[in-house]
Amino acid sequence: MTAYDAGVAIEFSARIRRIPSYPVAGGYELPDNVALLASNESPYPPLPQVVEAAARVLKGVNRYPDPSYAKLRRALSDRYEVAPARIAIGNGSCDILLAAGEALLEPGAEFVYAWPSFSVYPHLEAASGARGIRVPLDAEERHDLEAMLTEITVATRLVIVCNPNNPTSTALPIEEIAAFVERVPRHVCVVLDEAYCEFSTLDDPDASIDLLRRHANLVLLRTFSKVYALCGLRVGFALCGSDELVRAVDQVRQPFFCNAAAQAAAVEALRHQDAIVERVERAVVARIDVEDGLRALGIRPADSQANFCWFDLPRRDDEGPAEREAAVVAGLTDRGILVRAGGALGKPGALRVTYGTPEENVRFLEALGAVL
Ligand SMILES: Cc1ncc(COP(=O)(O)O)c(C=O)c1O
């Protein structure tokens, strides 16, 4: 048998067999009128000035991008009042998350996170061989911080709190987060994943930044993918309590991980905070409209502080949660609406639906009513 014969199996590492595949959303080769409500993206395009800033740098892409990310770090530092040396940049915030896992975790180490939460977290334990400890959410589908604290041991290296939480959309107030961080031992890195923090009306999204002054082990993970509407360019950042994690995540990654167009677009996007306020306002209006519509269908959604909602489908005696979820997702897809099934996100029988434009939200509610 030659190496070219079909069926020759490459022998992969044990690590690769452990790593779960990310549940990829569909919808990339569908007609234009499909409502893409599956990936918590902004339904609104980036500002023309932001697109122009990205386009301007394209004529210089025979050169590598700035590997120190100096302009972007400076712009973030000015916006968030955190020293540039304490800001990590990433090819999306996921890139920083995975690099943090690589830098902190190894066999014998422990890592505590809530479940259901962001589907990339299990990847960190699988990739590193560390023991992942999943702490169930409370009855309101929020993080149970008390229970998470009891899981911290001398072996714990990393704790992640996703606030607001993906996929459940719920958030905890800053006082509870502050009290939690206070009680985590200093050797443990606390990542507060704030991908959706701008959409929360519980607190000022900048409130957590004050905590960085007191906690060198705290990392606020943020992204340009959601409210800044730049997920297609892949750029995220982390505001850190010290420069230690910034150096560590840079050590484990290739240089030039954030491309020139992404850096330029992000710098420009930061100049337009008024657009952020407007996108947040639209998301809050969508939240109210969609929640009202869901309640009218007899559904009680989780208390959303994000740009998406999460709810259990009404039960039926003749179908289990997984079949019910599959039937509803298929019915919505047939009607041109793409959403996320809860099973792949940790809870069969639930749905996660991103708020779209007002028209898309109406279409979604009508389609859901028809399918149910
Ligand atoms: C909770 C959470 N964190 C991080 C990310 C990663 O975002 P990105 O890599 O696009 O910055 C996402 C994306 O959906 C998310 O939901």
Side-chain angles (χ1 to χ4, degrees), residues 22 39-40 90-97 117-121 162-167 193-196 221-226 230-231 234-237 308 352:
Y22 182 73
S39 296
N40 296 348
N91 182 18
S93 59
C94 255
D95 179 39
I96 303 173
L97 193 61
S117 194
F118 185 34
S119 49
V120 168
Y121 303 155
C162 187
N163 200 46
N165 188 42
N166 177 10
D193 186 343
E194 299 189 310
Y196 304 97
L221 193 63
R222 303 233 176 159
T223 183
F224 283 94
S225 293
K226 307 297 174 183
L230 289 176
C231 63
R234 314 300 301 121
V235 50
F237 59 102
F308 57 92
R352 191 194 71 189

Side-chain angles (χ1 to χ4, degrees), residues 136-212:
L137 299 175
D138 69 13
E140 298 297 321
E141 309 207 69
R142 294 171 313 183
H143 279 60
D144 184 344
L145 296 181
E146 265 322 299
M148 290 179 79
L149 278 171
T150 64
E151 295 295 347
I152 294 176
T153 70
V154 284
T156 310
R157 296 263 178 85
L158 173 65
V159 179
I160 300 187
V161 174
C162 187
N163 200 46
N165 188 42
N166 177 10
T168 63
S169 74
T170 52
L172 292 176
I174 189 69
E175 302 79 51
E176 288 183 37
I177 300 286
F180 171 79
V181 180
E182 203 72 54
R183 290 166 67 193
V184 175
R186 291 179 65 84
H187 74 275
V188 179
C189 178
V190 181
V191 170
L192 196 54
D193 186 343
E194 299 189 310
Y196 304 97
C197 66
E198 295 87 354
F199 298 108
S200 172
T201 53
L202 284 187
D203 290 294
D204 182 329
D206 291 349
S208 53
I209 295 171
D210 278 345
L211 301 179
L212 293 174

Side-chain angles (χ1 to χ4, degrees), residues 313-324 372:
L313 289 166
R315 295 267 169 85
R316 265 177 43 172
D317 292 341
D318 56 341
E319 274 175 333
E323 293 84 59
R324 183 89 178 114
L372 292 177

Side-chain angles (χ1 to χ4, degrees), residues 6-131:
V8 172
I10 300 170
E11 194 174 333
F12 289 101
S13 65
R15 179 173 177 261
I16 280 297
R17 287 193 291 275
R18 285 196 307 262
I19 297 177
S21 295
Y22 182 73
V24 178
Y28 293 95
E29 289 179 51
L30 291 170
D32 283 347
N33 62 350
V34 169
L36 298 174
L37 309 182
S39 296
N40 296 348
E41 299 153 334
S42 168
Y44 305 105
L47 294 175
Q49 300 92 311
V50 173
V51 176
E52 279 156 25
R56 264 197 306 276
V57 299
L58 293 181
K59 61 183 183 304
V61 293
N62 53 313
R63 304 290 177 197
Y64 283 106
D66 170 10
S68 69
Y69 313 102
K71 281 189 190 151
L72 179 52
R73 267 184 222 270
R74 170 52 56 203
L76 285 165
S77 175
D78 291 346
R79 165 66 185 84
Y80 293 105
E81 295 178 17
V82 173
R86 292 201 274 112
I87 301 175
I89 305 296
N91 182 18
S93 59
C94 255
D95 179 39
I96 303 173
L97 193 61
L98 294 174
E102 199 173 336
L104 292 161
L105 301 177
E106 58 195 337
E110 292 179 0
F111 154 43
V112 179
Y113 59 102
W115 198 252
S117 194
F118 185 34
S119 49
V120 168
Y121 303 155
H123 186 110
L124 271 65
E125 59 179 278
S128 63
R131 189 161 94 89

